[in-house]
Amino acid sequence: MKTLVIEKEKLKHNIDILKSMTSSTIIAVLKGNGYGLGIVEFARFLLDNGIDYFAVSEISEAIKLREEGFENNILLLTPASSDEEAETIVQYNIIPSIGSLNSATLINEAGKRLDRIIDVHLKIDTGFGRFGFIWNSIGDCHSFLKSLENIRIVGTYSHLSFSFSKKAKLIQVQYERFLKCVEGLNQNGIRTGMLHIANSCAFLQYESMHLDAVRIGSAFLGRIPIENKYGLNRIGYMKSKIIELKELPKGYYIGYANTYKTKRPTRIGIVPVGYKDGFGVEKTKDTFRFLDILRYIYHDLKLFNKRIYVRVKGKKAKVLGRISMYNIVIDTTDLDVSIGDEVLLDVNPVLIETSIKREYL
Ligand SMILES: *Cc1c(COP(=O)(O)O)cnc(C)c1O
């Protein structure tokens, strides 16, 4: 009863824009089921359009791509935390990130056991406080890194904590820390391979930070937490249908908390899509955390009710009352519609459960 539609032309347009903005390698970040576009379909589409370097967060995502026959570079952003994981990474020819003594040792040992030299990316923590060797103490690890005989560093990267901010200074600080680390490594005879720090927002705003590669996720979808001055299309809409129609009298409440009362006899349509599907998320603030979204919904819905629309048969229909988890009620009084008619809704694909069908049109 619900399908997530991805318009190929629009997606291709975004890819073309992003490619035209840089000569650096574009690493497509495909975490979260490819930002909801369906990891396998999206990966195939990217490959068909000339993007052949991928990054994922989970080993299972990388394995899935390998099992579907992808043979290109896949960088795993999350470091290994056990021997078992390290061996799986090596066996599937996935590029691990090493960001600590532990993760580096695990990979090196796996390389030894399997008699392989493993290509890795070195992760530097320049102020995110998550994965990576801390920028101002990595000097202490130089000799350790050099001693890893089964590892070859083919890339070095860091992640920005504030790329969507207008405070360029914060971003600059991380960037400079990164370059300083790289310089220190190189001076000590450690090769750093391809350098990358920019995610979508940094990529779009700071050309000077493109370095050898950029890691792009949200920009492919045109759903970015900064002003879209780049002509990127918003990718993804939900296709559902009206499953019920009924007449309500004037003065009748609709939905949780009685926030809406009919102003006239109203013919309502019920559509089985709710905030669980990411519907009703504030438009200018695309976000990728479900909890944030629930928070926005909680605060904004009262104000929002008047402004949310869906499309039925090419016409706008207003959403009445609060959006609930699985359903919305729309006003079809002035529309000539029947049960089963198609309804189109704007949703952020990343929130759509993997089990829901993806359709590339
Ligand atoms: C998610 C992620 C990205 C991509 O971020 P976008 O802002 O969606 O482009 C890049 N790098 C890392 C390490 C990430 O986790």
Side-chain angles (χ1 to χ4, degrees):
M1 216 168 328
K2 310 182 230 203
T3 310
L4 177 67
V5 179
I6 294 121
E7 294 160 290
K8 284 197 267 190
E9 279 302 309
K10 288 191 174 176
L11 184 55
K12 178 166 177 8
H13 177 78
N14 287 358
I15 293 171
D16 289 344
I17 289 179
L18 298 171
K19 276 165 57 176
S20 75
M21 288 176 74
T22 193
S23 52
S24 305
T25 299
I26 293 180
I27 300 175
V29 180
L30 299 176
K31 64 188 176 203
N33 194 25
Y35 281 66
L37 300 186
I39 187 164
V40 173
E41 300 95 314
F42 186 28
R44 199 159 282 141
F45 194 81
L46 287 163
L47 211 50
D48 288 346
N49 286 282
I51 293 182
D52 63 357
Y53 209 120
F54 299 155
V56 296
S57 273
E58 294 181 5
I59 296 180
S60 61
E61 297 167 324
I63 291 176
K64 185 159 190 186
L65 291 171
R66 285 283 180 256
E67 285 177 344
E68 290 287 335
F70 291 92
E71 290 176 349
N72 51 315
N73 288 312
I74 303 177
L75 170 64
L76 179 63
L77 298 166
T78 308
S81 62
S82 69
D83 284 326
E84 222 178 7
E85 279 183 4
E87 279 188 25
T88 308
I89 289 167
V90 174
Q91 277 158 352
Y92 279 90
N93 218 2
I94 299 162
I95 304 170
S97 294
I98 58 166
S100 62
L101 300 183
N102 185 54
S103 56
T105 306
L106 288 172
I107 297 296
N108 191 56
E109 293 298 316
K112 249 185 224 163
R113 284 195 300 277
L114 300 165
D115 196 22
R116 294 255 311 268
I117 307 286
I118 317 299
D119 285 351
V120 305
H121 283 218
L122 179 65
K123 175 88 186 263
I124 315 279
D125 178 351
T126 54
F128 198 106
R130 204 171 59 179
F131 300 120
F133 291 97
I134 295 179
W135 64 280
N136 58 3
S137 57
I138 193 171
D140 303 341
C141 304
H142 283 166
S143 51
F144 165 76
L145 289 169
K146 278 188 176 165
S147 74
L148 302 169
E149 289 179 345
N150 289 70
I151 273 179
R152 178 168 48 214
I153 298 171
V154 295
T156 300
Y157 74 104
S158 187
H159 196 38
L160 299 165
S161 59
F162 245 122
S163 61
F164 47 86
S165 162
K166 290 208 164 62
K167 294 179 189 155
K169 216 175 144 201
L170 293 165
I171 304 165
Q172 199 63 36
V173 166
Q174 278 194 271
Y175 182 66
E176 277 158 21
R177 286 173 178 171
F178 180 63
L179 293 187
K180 213 163 154 197
C181 281
V182 169
E183 197 184 308
L185 288 157
N186 291 159
Q187 276 169 359
N188 281 277
I190 299 165
R191 48 176 279 183
T192 42
M194 69 198 278
L195 305 179
H196 48 112
I197 193 166
N199 63 345
S200 292
C201 288
F203 167 77
L204 294 167
Q205 299 183 104
Y206 307 105
E207 198 180 342
S208 59
M209 293 184 192
H210 287 190
L211 298 172
D212 299 313
V214 293
R215 299 186 307 274
I216 306 288
S218 49
F220 284 121
L221 284 77
R223 293 173 179 270
I224 44 176
I226 53 172
E227 192 191 340
N228 181 358
K229 297 182 287 195
Y230 315 95
L232 296 167
N233 297 308
R234 284 168 67 84
I235 301 299
Y237 65 84
M238 182 79 97
K239 194 166 75 178
S240 186
K241 59 187 185 181
I242 295 175
I243 56 166
E244 191 98 86
L245 282 169
K246 74 176 182 183
E247 309 287 339
L248 294 180
K250 182 181 172 187
Y252 203 90
Y253 284 117
I254 293 176
Y256 285 113
N258 293 357
T259 57
Y260 184 84
K261 195 190 215 175
T262 54
K263 295 172 180 64
R264 55 175 179 171
T266 302
R267 187 171 186 240
I268 60 160
I270 303 175
V271 184
V273 175
Y275 62 73
K276 187 82 166 56
D277 301 303
F279 180 65
V281 175
E282 188 186 355
K283 288 208 169 194
T284 50
K285 273 196 189 139
D286 276 307
T287 169
F288 294 94
R289 284 182 46 206
F290 189 53
L291 271 179
D292 285 342
I293 282 153
L294 292 183
R295 214 168 286 135
Y296 284 131
I297 287 168
Y298 183 77
H299 287 296
D300 293 5
L301 265 194
K302 277 169 263 166
L303 313 167
F304 251 48
N305 282 339
K306 295 190 180 71
R307 293 189 267 136
I308 298 186
Y309 292 89
V310 299
R311 297 193 78 80
V312 191
K313 285 181 143 179
K315 295 210 169 71
K316 275 165 90 174
K318 190 159 132 183
V319 175
L320 304 177
R322 283 198 185 172
I323 293 167
S324 47
M325 192 181 281
Y326 285 103
N327 295 290
I328 51 170
V329 171
I330 61 172
D331 187 351
T332 63
T333 313
D334 302 323
L335 304 175
D336 174 25
V337 297
S338 331
I339 289 177
D341 279 352
E342 202 168 85
V343 178
L344 308 183
L345 313 94
D346 182 64
V347 292
N348 190 333
V350 79
L351 295 168
I352 311 296
E353 283 170 18
T354 307
S355 60
I356 288 175
K357 192 178 159 227
R358 268 72 179 165
E359 190 178 337
Y360 277 67
L361 275 187

